[in-house]
Amino acid sequence: MSDNQNLLAEQRRALILDEIRRRGGVRVNELTRKLNVSDMTVRRDLDALARQGMVEKVHGGAVPVSEPSAHEPGFEVKSALELNAKEDIAKAAAEMAAPGSAIALAGGTTAFALAQQLLDVPDLTVVTNSVRVADVFYSAQRAAASGGAGPRAGAATVVLTGGVRTPSDTLVGPVADAAIRSLHFDVLFLGVHGISVEAGLSTPNLAEAETNRHFVRSARRVVVVADHTKWGTVGLSSFATLDQVEVLVTDAGLSAEARAEFAELPPELVVAGEQPVDADL
């Protein structure tokens, strides 16, 4: 069987990881059929995921591993996970950013996807502690300038906080905290490491937790953007309760059990990619 060349290695591994998490484990022969790749390719992918600590290899396949609460994967690792879900979430969340408003974008790969959807929203003021998010807006400006068009009309004004850089390319610490404390946002779009009823919103990085607390306090409205794999995950440090969140934007992979739990919680649940149910029907 020839390898499927339409999938990059990182994309293929993201699909494998999602399948393992969703089903609690998979066999090599199942993955070869599903992905239309060779047995050797699947085994190499599982080896790579095992080296990253994302899965545990067992005879004939792999199972998920429980991550330590203080483990923080790097940006490149996380950016390859749940690609379609993040795109759906980003499109839905972008509709909540009004032209001319002041918004905050905290760090993370879902916020990075959202930034790309916000490029066409005019006259935004964007405050971010994410190097990657800031670069999305800066790159758009440079591209327009190199084409001779000059600055993009209505382009976002971007404020990048200072701070200490985390593995997720997020700036945290006292410098970032001081910058955020002095500002006020119409909407905060917040990616998270984990969400649970008991722990609320959490992260494995203590300094990032403190910076996120300042983001939440400075925002009139908090919108959490998180794919379904974040539900039930608990990081080392909690930084907000669920009653501090107005909206959770997630994807269609959210389980029926999680949706039932969320029905009893304060935030509005928006499932990206699904049509809302009309209560009158």
Side-chain angles (χ1 to χ4, degrees):
M1 181 184 298
S2 62
D3 287 358
N4 184 348
Q5 298 299 322
N6 293 323
L7 288 177
L8 298 174
E10 289 300 323
Q11 294 174 316
R12 192 174 59 245
R13 289 166 191 170
L15 292 172
I16 290 173
L17 183 59
D18 184 58
E19 189 77 0
I20 291 170
R21 286 174 168 169
R22 188 169 57 83
R23 296 176 52 191
V26 293
R27 299 185 65 81
V28 170
N29 58 6
E30 294 172 336
L31 291 172
T32 59
R33 290 194 298 271
K34 184 178 181 66
L35 299 173
N36 189 31
V37 296
S38 68
D39 180 280
M40 184 172 293
T41 295
V42 169
R43 292 185 186 279
R44 281 199 302 265
D45 288 340
L46 292 178
D47 285 339
L49 290 170
R51 285 194 300 271
Q52 295 170 358
M54 307 297 284
V55 305
E56 180 181 349
K57 291 182 66 180
V58 296
H59 181 69
V63 295
V65 295
S66 297
E67 292 184 349
S69 61
H71 174 66
E72 183 177 10
F75 186 92
E76 298 301 339
V77 172
K78 292 193 289 186
S79 65
L81 305 177
E82 304 296 337
L83 296 174
N84 292 335
K86 289 173 183 174
E87 184 176 357
D88 288 342
I89 290 167
K91 288 178 180 177
E95 297 178 3
M96 303 177 191
S101 60
I103 69 170
L105 274 176
T109 54
T110 307
F112 176 75
L114 174 56
Q116 296 170 71
Q117 297 294 326
L118 293 174
L119 290 175
D120 293 325
V121 180
D123 301 316
L124 287 178
T125 298
V126 179
V127 177
T128 185
N129 65 332
S130 169
V131 176
R132 303 282 187 142
V133 166
D135 193 54
V136 170
F137 294 100
Y138 295 153
S139 295
Q141 286 289 71
R142 288 195 297 268
S146 65
R152 293 166 57 246
T157 299
V158 180
V159 179
L160 178 64
T161 70
V164 179
R165 199 164 179 164
T166 71
S168 297
D169 285 346
T170 300
L171 302 176
V172 300
V175 173
D177 298 348
I180 295 163
R181 273 200 307 268
S182 65
L183 301 172
H184 304 281
F185 315 113
D186 296 309
V187 184
L188 163 65
F189 293 100
L190 181 64
V192 297
H193 173 82
I195 313 172
S196 77
V197 175
E198 297 80 11
L201 310 182
S202 62
T203 172
N205 189 299
L206 291 173
E208 184 173 29
E210 183 61 18
T211 297
N212 283 345
R213 288 187 193 105
H214 290 293
F215 265 131
V216 171
R217 291 171 190 148
S218 296
R220 295 185 181 91
R221 190 168 189 240
V222 177
V223 177
V224 172
V225 288
D227 68 72
H228 67 279
T229 65
K230 306 300 176 64
W231 183 252
T233 297
V234 177
L236 178 64
S237 179
S238 296
F239 59 85
T241 60
L242 291 178
D243 60 8
Q244 292 177 279
V245 177
E246 277 70 37
V247 184
L248 167 65
V249 186
T250 188
D251 65 284
L254 190 69
S255 68
E257 293 79 8
R259 296 183 195 216
E261 276 191 284
F262 230 92
E264 306 298 321
L265 298 172
E268 175 190 354
L269 180 65
V270 174
V271 181
E274 288 189 353
Q275 293 298 320
V277 177
D278 191 334
D280 294 332
L281 293 180

